Amino acid sequence: MSKMAEYEGPILEIDNLSISFFTRLREIPAVMDFSCTVQPGEAMGLVGESGCGKSTVALGVMQDLGVNGKTVGGSIKFKGRDLNKMSPEELRDIRGNEIAMIYQEPMASLNPAMKIGKQLMEVPMIHEGVSEAEAYDRALEVVTDVKLPDPDRILKSFPHQLSGGQQQRIVIAMALMSKPSLLILDEPTTALDVTVEAAVVELVKDLGKKYGTSMLFISHNLGLILETCDRICVMYSGEAVEAGSIDDVFDHMQHPYTQALFRSIPLPGADKNAHPLVAIPGNFPLPHERPNGCNFGPRCNYFEEGRCDGGDIKMAPVQGFERHDSRCLKFEEIDWDAPVEAGDKSEKTKPGKVVLKMDNLKKYYEVAANAMFGGGDKKVVKANETLSFEARESETLAIVGESGCGKSTFAKVLMGLETATDGEILLDGKNIEGTAIQDRDTKTVADIQMVFQNPFDTLNPSMTIGRQIIRALEVFGVGDSEEARRDRMLQLLDLVKLPRAFADRMPRQLSGGQKQRVGIARAFAGDARIVVADEPVSALDVSVQAAVTDLLMEIQREHKTTLLFISHDLSIVRYLSDRVMVMYLGHVVELGSTDQVFAPPYHPYTEALLSAVPIADTSIEKKHIVLEGDIPSAMDPPSGCPFQTRCRWKDKVAGGLCEQEVPEQKTLADGHEIKCHLSQEELDGMEPVIKVAAE
């Protein structure tokens, strides 16, 4: 029996909430005048970019703002009771029992030295005083609910013995142990693979219905919010700027920031040449540098001086819609249906000659079967298995796959950080697969460069930006004097559209997007021919992603660079790439042009990937495919086809062939390759995963 029955009104009412953090120097307002209501059984999505205050709202609800954080205005009511006025004892009773929170990083919520079963049983034993036997039964029930295999074994395991997806399910199970009325989810799937994310999201939705739980779902991924929530609240710089039902906000947006956000994400139909994304100009304001009037004013297309920067702007209801509000003075005057002012269209570049060729590349690692003590038999981990492809000048080849598929290993071998076990890598017809980076000549090193996923880890914190780029120029032997290198460094800052004054700044003075631009400048310092971009935008905010992707495209057009774009985000892959290579557990399972890979026939894994990626568009209908289980370990791969343990098409192949033999690579049409046992007839009968719904 849920705790819902006792209370009829809204589960959560946040009214004009303001939260500030106090430092020695000043008060920093993190959230201002924020209101939102969550009804029983309703899922509310809280969307915004980093620093907009969405996690602060969640911590405010949990009354967990630390020493420096204080609620300086407004109220948060849970089932009609003001949380700010409760005693520590009352709060302790509510937290974990009536309000539960699921964090981004599952391992941070689990005790590494305690078995899963014990951690789960603690919740009802502490909060409800139930017996150990009853707590065990309940733990077993919840672990079964979150669809974990072999629940008994899971309860006896330690956290490190589970995969990331399984750990996150345990954290969800723990949150649901006491059947809370409100579940707060703070980016609960960012650390997970897309197919695992799809299964976890499905799970959260089902359990929400089963337990009648209300949800506050925090995310920067609009597609995820569309799939999980009933209502949405968009935040910008500490304020709610628009709130309403999913359909109202997605299809009848009434705030310039919401509109700008949608224009900067790659929805189906965006095209890097014909319909480029429109990045939001300028940068997010720092909390103590917010402008007068509308916070979004300085970046807004509709800004009107003397009006938009006059004074405080309140949320106002949108006429003709229920519970739809906007924080904009001009929303009734703006023509929301006006066509997008197109960005600069550009000619589609023609791929040139083959620059890079891989032929049957293999990379195996030998590891001790008992890694902890180094004893026992040796095991071979096949990180890359017979990888073959070509990449041409000016071409973008996307390499798609989830963790453990071998995409980073392949990048390391290409860069020379590892050497190949077998097969060839030819750069301009010259073999480089056996030459480690320290033995490569300067030109080869400069020719193949990498842009990394996390811009924060790749810059030296104690060296100025200019110095770091000059250092790269020295390594690549560019410029014959310090003066020449300084000039080239300033040109590189121009190339990545950073002010020249940034040369004297330290990395800590730059935002994530600006740091990533420095990373790109450094990669192009020696006129790189091939740039391996490893998830280069996944750590960046949506509005910054568009600008950085655009920049990469522009540099590519100018320099005829070959871009190997490693990603698991198929929306951005569809927008950017000319060809796509899909990897699973060391194998290339599909390879073809972007149009071929995104239209049937698909490899069964590609089909599941397309279904798993959330798309922020209400007119899209997706075939619903949720894969069972987690990705197998490369230490212990399944027999036969690597994907057979999770494949929904396996029954269509006679004689258990999928479990026995690795499929041959077969060519379907115009160089579209697929590694699968399915017959031509089955492949021809496949239906599209993504369809635009009829109006």
Side-chain angles (χ1 to χ4, degrees):
M1 177 70 183
S2 167
K3 304 182 178 71
M4 306 287 302
E6 309 140 30
Y7 185 76
E8 295 296 314
I11 293 297
L12 183 68
E13 278 175 289
I14 304 179
D15 192 31
N16 297 344
L17 176 71
S18 295
I19 295 174
S20 290
F21 288 91
F22 292 85
T23 65
R24 284 202 311 265
L25 298 174
R26 60 167 81 89
E27 173 186 348
I28 298 172
V31 173
M32 294 91 65
D33 182 31
F34 178 85
S35 301
C36 106
T37 305
V38 182
Q39 299 293 349
E42 190 172 67
M44 165 69 92
L46 206 50
V47 172
E49 300 178 284
S50 49
C52 72
K54 54 190 191 301
S55 292
T56 306
V57 169
L59 293 172
V61 175
M62 292 301 279
Q63 294 291 303
D64 183 18
L65 292 166
V67 186
N68 300 344
K70 290 206 170 46
T71 301
V72 290
S75 64
I76 306 173
K77 286 184 180 161
F78 173 71
K79 292 186 176 177
R81 297 170 63 203
D82 192 335
L83 290 169
N84 289 329
K85 296 186 175 148
M86 285 189 189
S87 68
E89 287 73 27
E90 288 175 298
L91 282 171
R92 204 170 314 142
D93 188 45
I94 280 184
R95 269 192 218 121
N97 185 19
E98 297 236 11
I99 306 178
M101 185 155 173
I102 296 170
Y103 295 90
Q104 186 167 351
E105 199 38 77
M107 261 323 255
S109 314
L110 295 171
N111 180 340
M114 198 174 184
K115 287 185 177 164
I116 299 290
K118 198 146 189 250
Q119 299 194 47
L120 289 170
M121 287 158 63
E122 268 191 346
V123 182
M125 285 166 75
I126 288 170
H127 282 294
E128 298 166 48
V130 305
S131 70
E132 200 165 324
E134 193 184 326
Y136 184 82
D137 290 344
R138 209 187 289 180
L140 202 57
E141 180 197 348
V142 179
V143 171
T144 313
D145 272 351
V146 295
K147 297 193 170 66
L148 280 166
D150 196 352
D152 273 319
R153 183 183 64 79
I154 295 269
L155 291 179
K156 295 189 179 85
S157 304
F158 285 101
H160 69 268
Q161 294 169 310
L162 308 182
S163 70
Q166 290 174 331
Q167 288 170 1
Q168 193 60 291
R169 282 163 189 254
I170 289 296
V171 172
I172 293 169
M174 198 182 286
L176 292 168
M177 271 308 277
S178 53
K179 303 188 172 50
S181 307
L182 178 67
L183 188 56
I184 301 173
L185 303 105
D186 190 358
E187 302 265 14
T189 58
T190 26
L192 305 178
D193 280 316
V194 262
T195 55
V196 179
E197 170 182 89
V200 168
V201 164
E202 175 86 353
L203 175 76
V204 168
K205 279 196 324 205
D206 289 351
L207 293 173
K209 286 194 190 80
K210 176 176 173 178
Y211 291 113
T213 313
S214 305
M215 287 193 268
L216 190 60
F217 199 116
I218 297 173
S219 179
H220 62 270
N221 184 334
L222 287 158
L224 209 52
I225 294 294
L226 168 67
E227 293 191 358
T228 44
C229 297
D230 309 303
R231 294 177 55 72
I232 179 175
C233 173
V234 182
M235 287 187 79
Y236 180 80
S237 189
E239 296 177 324
V241 292
E242 184 167 7
S245 74
I246 292 283
D247 286 349
D248 289 351
V249 174
F250 276 59
D251 299 338
H252 308 284
M253 54 194 71
Q254 297 286 315
H255 194 281
Y257 175 62
T258 315
Q259 184 187 54
L261 211 50
F262 273 95
R263 286 178 177 176
S264 64
I265 55 178
L267 296 173
D271 175 308
K272 64 181 176 185
N273 300 307
H275 301 283
L277 300 179
V278 183
I280 305 177
N283 285 316
F284 203 77
L286 290 168
H288 55 282
E289 293 173 355
R290 289 189 177 114
N292 290 329
C294 175
N295 283 343
F296 188 59
R299 307 174 73 189
C300 179
N301 293 337
Y302 310 103
F303 180 76
E304 195 178 312
E305 211 169 322
R307 183 176 171 194
C308 297
D309 50 7
D312 277 356
I313 299 167
K314 297 284 178 207
M315 285 289 257
V318 178
Q319 296 306 314
F321 292 93
E322 194 188 345
R323 292 170 70 200
H324 187 177
D325 301 289
S326 171
R327 193 184 293 270
C328 173
L329 295 175
K330 301 180 71 172
F331 72 84
E332 288 169 333
E333 304 157 31
I334 293 169
D335 177 3
W336 296 103
D337 298 321
V340 184
E341 274 187 33
D344 299 336
K345 289 190 180 181
S346 50
E347 285 299 305
K348 189 170 175 8
T349 49
K350 291 251 185 311
K353 62 181 197 308
V354 172
V355 180
L356 180 72
K357 183 172 167 39
M358 277 205 185
D359 199 18
N360 284 331
L361 177 83
K362 294 181 181 179
K363 176 62 186 170
Y364 295 172
Y365 293 98
E366 267 203 356
V367 292
N370 186 340
M372 174 91 78
F373 303 107
D377 305 333
K378 289 269 193 269
K379 264 195 172 177
V380 174
V381 176
K382 298 180 175 181
N384 288 152
E385 188 61 272
T386 57
L387 227 68
S388 297
F389 69 87
E390 291 178 347
R392 297 168 183 276
E393 197 175 69
S394 300
E395 179 180 56
T396 303
L397 171 69
I399 295 142
V400 176
E402 300 177 288
S403 51
C405 75
K407 52 190 193 298
S408 299
T409 302
F410 137 77
K412 284 179 188 161
V413 176
L414 181 59
M415 299 290 297
L417 300 169
E418 300 272 3
T419 52
T421 308
D422 196 7
E424 293 188 301
I425 303 179
L426 299 166
L427 174 66
D428 295 324
K430 192 175 84 191
N431 286 65
I432 57 168
E433 71 284 337
T435 319
I437 194 159
Q438 60 273 24
D439 302 325
R440 290 187 176 182
D441 58 62
T442 308
K443 185 173 181 331
T444 307
V445 173
D447 273 350
I448 307 178
Q449 281 297 302
M450 195 154 179
V451 177
F452 295 91
Q453 178 169 3
N454 196 339
F456 304 91
D457 296 342
T458 51
L459 297 178
N460 181 336
S462 55
M463 209 188 251
T464 65
I465 297 304
R467 187 69 228 139
Q468 302 202 37
I469 297 175
I470 289 172
R471 181 82 195 85
L473 292 167
E474 286 167 357
V475 170
F476 300 146
V478 176
D480 45 14
S481 66
E482 189 61 28
E483 200 51 47
R485 282 194 278 269
R486 186 160 177 85
D487 278 353
R488 175 78 183 126
M489 178 268 293
L490 293 171
Q491 285 166 11
L492 283 163
L493 286 177
D494 297 344
L495 177 73
V496 295
K497 299 188 169 50
L498 283 175
R500 288 187 163 201
F502 274 36
D504 301 320
R505 288 200 182 179
M506 302 302 276
R508 64 169 188 276
Q509 296 169 290
L510 271 59
S511 69
Q514 290 166 338
K515 283 184 188 159
Q516 195 57 298
R517 285 164 187 259
V518 176
I520 293 170
R522 213 168 44 175
F524 281 94
D527 282 328
R529 309 265 312 286
I530 298 169
V531 170
V532 182
D534 187 0
E535 304 262 13
V537 292
S538 62
L540 305 177
D541 276 322
V542 182
S543 58
V544 183
Q545 278 185 7
V548 171
T549 353
D550 242 22
L551 174 70
L552 272 172
M553 293 294 95
E554 204 175 300
I555 297 175
Q556 179 186 38
R557 277 191 279 268
E558 203 176 307
H559 291 255
K560 299 199 163 144
T561 319
T562 304
L563 196 59
L564 299 181
F565 191 83
I566 297 177
S567 182
H568 66 268
D569 180 347
L570 287 173
S571 307
I572 208 137
V573 163
R574 182 179 209 160
Y575 171 69
L576 272 185
S577 58
D578 304 307
R579 286 194 308 133
V580 180
M581 177 165 107
V582 182
M583 290 184 72
Y584 187 81
L585 222 57
H587 292 258
V588 176
V589 293
E590 186 164 5
L591 176 63
S593 71
T594 306
D595 292 342
Q596 287 168 338
V597 172
F598 277 79
Y602 314 103
H603 185 281
Y605 175 57
T606 311
E607 179 191 48
L609 270 183
L610 287 170
S611 162
V613 174
I615 299 173
D617 187 339
T618 52
S619 67
I620 291 290
E621 277 180 5
K622 269 194 329 189
K623 187 179 267 188
H624 195 62
I625 302 163
V626 173
L627 293 181
E628 294 294 313
D630 285 323
I631 299 166
S633 157
M635 289 268 287
D636 191 13
S639 60
C641 169
F643 187 58
Q644 55 98 350
T645 52
R646 305 170 77 201
C647 181
R648 70 191 196 106
W649 290 84
K650 193 163 72 169
D651 305 341
K652 306 266 197 258
V653 179
L657 195 59
C658 299
E659 283 108 334
Q660 291 154 16
E661 282 180 37
V662 176
E664 293 289 314
Q665 194 95 15
K666 54 183 167 198
T667 305
L668 303 179
D670 302 332
H672 183 193
E673 294 176 6
I674 209 161
K675 204 182 237 186
C676 183
H677 285 304
L678 282 175
S679 67
Q680 193 61 48
E681 195 182 344
E682 292 286 0
L683 289 168
D684 290 344
M686 279 191 170
E687 294 169 358
V689 173
I690 298 168
K691 286 202 292 250
V692 177
E695 284 301 316

